[in-house]
Amino acid sequence: MNDPLTDVDRFLAQTPPFDSLEPAMRRRAAAAFEVVYRRSGSVLLEIGEANHTLFLIRRGAVEAHDRHGTLVGRYGEGDSFGLQSLLSGKPVRFRISLIEDGLIWRMPKAAFDALRAASPAFDDFYIRSLEERLVSALREHEGAGGAAALFMTPLSELTRREPVLASPDTPIAQAARTMAEHGISSLLIGSEGSVQGIVTDRDLRNRVLAKGRSPDEPVAAVMTPEPLTVDAASPVLAAIVAMAGRGIHHLPLTREGRVVGMVTTRDLLSLQTHHPLYLAAQIQKQDTVAGVVDACRRIPKLFDLLLASGIRAEEVPKVMTTITDTVTRRLIRLAEAELGPAPAAWAWLAFGSQAREEQSLKTDQDNGIVYDDAAPPDAYGWFAAMARFVCDGLAACGYAYCPGDIMATTPSWRQPLAGWQRQFAEWSRLPDPQAVLGISIFFDLRGIQGDRDLVAGIRQAMADCATGTGKAVFLSALARGATEHDVPLGFFRRFVLESRGEHRETLEIKAAGLMPLTDLVRVRALQSGVTAASTLERLTALVSRGALARSDADRLEGAYRLLSGLRVRLHADLHRRGEAPHNHLDVRRLSHAERVALRDAFVVVREAQRALTQDFPA
């Protein structure tokens, strides 16, 4: 017969913050719950009454309404409620009622307080803000971080091939041929994952050729027996210490006693070559497009190592954007060397994710050119050639052409300043869907290379769009566009997954989460005259101008960091599996805490959309 407490304990083990409790403590928590069944329509908490109970929903769903009958929240399986009154001791503020038959677990305040006193992690969950919980949901997948991050990279991250082994009786000549065929500088001697020795190219030179040994002798005669090994999970620093201390250049990696790979001094040096600063310096040194393309082949590895070395996932896009900026500037320099000096002042513009510094491994081009109104008539050809050179170069480096042709190669995205000013005025006067799209793209703008005054002129033209006589109509059109995205949460805050196609039962995390969030923040920024390009910078500026409450900004920042971090991690996982990057997140691969946090992030976005709708009614 099943122990009822076992079922309760199993559920708690998957439910934050009970999953943070030690098993014995979680068992006591399970014993403290009273299980009650209530029919749909039952009122569980009434406004004004005192509450001394923690409620946890095992099955069913509840709604919270304020004293005016306005719906303020809806909660489902795994959610707690009654916390505000329980923690503060103040009367209940919202009426909580079941909207379907439910199984509710109730814990007395004394037991709840005992758990908080016994477990800092449990207590921390309830006293932390929502935005802090959103960000912390990603932390369990992150490493040490900090200045020593690269040294803490697991050695297993450096190996990409299975170890090559030969038996001890293999002739030396055959061992040499095996090394040549695999392009390796050392050969493990042993069988079935067990290592008895190692032979390196130096051994073949010093112990075979220099000594006049017969190539028919068994390789065991010249191998180094019982080589030093380290666990594959050890950090890079451990390998550096071991290899430097022994004066060796090859180090077999093991897992549970079996050899699983090999690292060499060359691998460790190559780790440093994937440092962002090193890669940027290498890109800047290239004097041909082919050289830049070759240097960019290290970008996926950089992406991988950034995550493995402990940098926060949501910080990776800024580093990736820095590399994109470097590639763009180098291509511009190469184009200028080929085309000659520009016929007039000009600037290269980045839009979209590059402008916001929010790029991941999957990105396409969004760019344009602005040039001086006084440019000579034949300048058009020079700028067209510049655009083609740079856009083709970016494509060769892995930055796909924009499917919507939002690139400097498109004449409408390559204009003199006066042309852009006329374009903005037209967009703001007739804010149809195409105009809203155009402004949305252009408002995310950074000057990458060229004349700063022209970039400032573009920014001023954009600001005029939001401050002219048509401001209200224009902002309303933008707000409608920002609130048209459907947040993928169902009636009971359950995920609404894609129902068909190649990515069935997944969430398109960019379209469903990041785009709605960046769109609504963009509207708030434009409304308040904030010209910062990145989403986080816009939130900071909005708070400093008093245009957004700190608490709202913190929640949006937490949601942004979670969504961005999950997207980056998805791309890293796909890269490791050799799959093309996409934005379709399989929520079944997430931990329970991450699913809860993701659901909260979508709620934050939905609430911000509703607030925007109230401020900009149709």
Side-chain angles (χ1 to χ4, degrees):
M1 182 175 179
N2 290 338
D3 179 359
L5 280 186
T6 299
D7 293 335
V8 177
D9 182 64
R10 188 178 298 121
F11 182 75
L12 293 181
Q14 299 294 319
T15 305
F18 297 94
D19 58 347
S20 66
L21 297 174
E22 294 294 330
M25 196 180 301
R26 193 170 60 240
R27 189 79 174 173
R28 289 200 296 274
F33 274 113
E34 175 195 12
V35 180
V36 297
Y37 172 80
R38 293 288 185 270
R39 302 299 298 270
S40 175
S42 300
V43 176
L44 301 173
L45 280 175
E46 187 56 270
I47 295 173
E49 70 179 16
N51 175 39
H52 306 290
T53 303
L54 172 71
F55 295 84
L56 178 63
I57 303 172
R58 179 61 183 89
R59 291 197 185 89
V62 305
E63 283 186 345
H65 292 83
D66 64 15
R67 62 180 64 255
H68 304 294
T70 302
L71 176 66
V72 295
R74 182 178 288 130
Y75 308 98
E77 182 178 306
D79 287 333
S80 301
F81 61 91
L83 286 168
Q84 192 172 30
S85 54
L86 181 64
L87 292 169
S88 67
K90 295 180 179 179
V92 172
R93 293 179 56 198
F94 304 116
R95 189 172 196 254
I96 308 292
S97 56
L98 277 161
I99 54 176
E100 60 180 38
D101 294 352
L103 198 61
I104 307 298
W105 293 356
R106 304 193 304 191
M107 177 181 285
K109 186 174 187 302
F112 176 64
D113 288 343
L115 290 174
R116 290 181 61 196
S119 170
F122 184 85
D123 181 55
D124 195 40
F125 179 88
Y126 289 108
I127 62 176
R128 279 186 301 172
S129 60
L130 171 61
E131 58 273 17
E132 290 172 324
R133 295 203 303 272
L134 289 173
V135 174
S136 66
L138 291 170
R139 297 290 91 89
E140 63 184 87
H141 289 271
E142 295 175 351
L150 286 177
F151 291 114
M152 300 310 293
T153 301
L155 287 168
S156 58
E157 294 292 333
L158 303 186
T159 60
R160 287 291 182 271
R161 68 163 75 188
E162 295 294 321
V164 181
L165 283 88
S167 63
D169 58 357
T170 302
I172 293 173
Q174 178 58 47
R177 284 195 293 272
T178 301
M179 292 169 65
E181 289 168 1
H182 288 83
I184 54 179
S185 57
S186 63
L187 182 65
L188 293 170
I189 308 302
S191 60
E192 298 181 355
S194 175
V195 177
Q196 300 175 25
I198 184 173
V199 169
T200 69
D201 49 6
R202 178 176 295 186
D203 295 332
L204 296 178
R205 182 178 66 242
N206 295 340
R207 297 177 183 174
V208 179
L209 296 177
K211 299 293 184 182
R213 283 181 177 272
S214 168
D216 296 327
E217 289 187 51
V219 71
V222 295
M223 72 180 187
T224 299
E226 299 180 358
L228 177 69
T229 64
V230 296
D231 191 276
S234 301
V236 161
L237 184 60
I240 292 174
V241 171
M243 296 168 82
R246 300 288 187 93
I248 58 178
H249 303 278
H250 301 80
L251 194 58
L253 303 181
T254 60
R255 184 178 295 123
E256 297 179 351
R258 294 179 60 82
V259 65
V260 294
M262 172 86 77
V263 292
T264 66
T265 49
R266 185 175 180 180
D267 294 326
L268 299 180
L269 290 173
S270 74
L271 180 65
Q272 187 64 23
T273 67
H274 290 94
H275 191 285
L277 290 176
Y278 182 91
L279 182 54
Q282 290 301 306
I283 292 170
Q284 290 164 357
K285 288 179 180 177
Q286 303 306 315
D287 54 9
T288 64
V289 173
V292 178
V293 171
D294 188 56
C296 286
R297 297 188 203 285
R298 301 174 186 169
I299 292 177
K301 181 68 174 177
L302 167 70
F303 184 83
D304 225 5
L305 288 176
L306 284 173
L307 285 169
S309 61
I311 188 172
R312 291 182 176 183
E314 69 270 23
E315 302 291 347
V316 170
K318 194 160 189 171
V319 179
M320 299 297 287
T321 304
T322 299
I323 298 299
T324 306
D325 290 353
T326 303
V327 173
T328 305
R329 292 190 185 103
R330 190 60 201 152
L331 291 171
I332 289 171
R333 291 298 187 199
L334 293 176
E336 288 174 333
E338 181 170 308
L339 301 173
W346 72 289
W348 185 273
L349 308 173
F351 309 119
S353 60
Q354 185 180 0
R356 296 193 305 271
E357 300 178 297
E358 296 171 359
Q359 290 195 311
S360 183
L361 203 53
K362 173 181 169 56
T363 186
D364 56 13
Q365 302 181 39
D366 289 311
N367 49 52
I369 283 177
V370 57
Y371 55 91
D372 197 323
D373 295 335
D378 60 350
Y380 185 87
W382 190 94
F383 291 117
M386 167 63 72
R388 176 56 59 194
F389 187 103
V390 176
C391 290
D392 286 351
L394 287 170
C397 290
Y399 301 94
Y401 293 117
C402 173
D405 289 330
I406 301 169
M407 296 185 296
T409 48
T410 305
S412 58
W413 292 89
R414 186 183 69 246
Q415 299 193 61
L417 180 59
W420 284 118
Q421 290 169 330
R422 285 193 298 273
Q423 182 71 75
F424 292 146
E426 182 70 14
W427 279 340
S428 60
R429 189 174 64 83
L430 296 172
D432 58 23
Q434 191 60 36
V436 170
L437 175 63
I439 285 290
S440 298
I441 294 169
F442 221 99
F443 191 58
D444 298 342
L445 160 73
R446 271 195 310 123
I448 301 300
Q449 181 85 1
D451 191 288
R452 294 183 179 182
D453 289 340
L454 286 172
V455 177
I458 287 282
R459 291 191 180 283
Q460 185 58 50
M462 285 193 309
D464 291 344
C465 285
T467 56
T469 54
K471 173 181 178 180
V473 175
F474 171 69
L475 287 177
S476 293
L478 276 180
R480 281 198 301 276
T483 55
E484 285 177 349
H485 301 285
D486 289 329
V487 174
L489 284 182
F491 190 66
F492 300 125
R493 304 204 322 164
R494 292 168 182 152
F495 295 121
V496 177
L497 306 177
E498 294 187 26
S499 60
R500 63 185 67 179
E502 178 185 359
H503 300 290
R504 189 170 177 267
E505 297 188 352
T506 64
L507 278 175
E508 218 286 15
I509 193 167
K510 181 181 178 183
L514 280 169
M515 284 181 60
L517 194 156
T518 54
D519 282 0
L520 65 90
V521 173
R522 182 187 302 114
V523 175
R524 294 296 189 191
L526 193 54
Q527 179 188 19
S528 302
V530 172
T531 57
S534 84
T535 301
L536 296 183
E537 288 175 349
R538 286 170 177 170
L539 288 172
T540 300
L542 286 168
V543 171
S544 68
R545 295 184 181 210
L548 190 66
R550 165 62 68 187
S551 57
D552 292 337
D554 287 347
R555 286 187 170 209
L556 286 168
E557 178 177 336
Y560 169 80
R561 289 186 181 280
L562 177 80
L563 294 166
S564 179
L566 288 175
R567 179 176 181 242
V568 165
R569 224 178 61 205
L570 167 65
H571 289 175
D573 290 342
L574 292 168
H575 172 62
R576 292 190 189 106
R577 299 202 298 266
E579 299 178 27
H582 56 68
N583 296 313
H584 297 272
L585 181 69
D586 185 350
V587 295
R588 293 169 300 187
R589 290 177 176 267
L590 302 180
S591 68
H592 185 80
E594 289 170 337
R595 289 198 298 273
V596 171
L598 180 59
R599 191 172 54 189
D600 287 341
F602 285 139
V603 170
V604 169
V605 174
R606 176 181 283 173
E607 290 175 349
Q609 286 181 319
R610 287 172 177 165
L612 198 64
T613 301
Q614 291 175 354
D615 291 347
F616 295 94

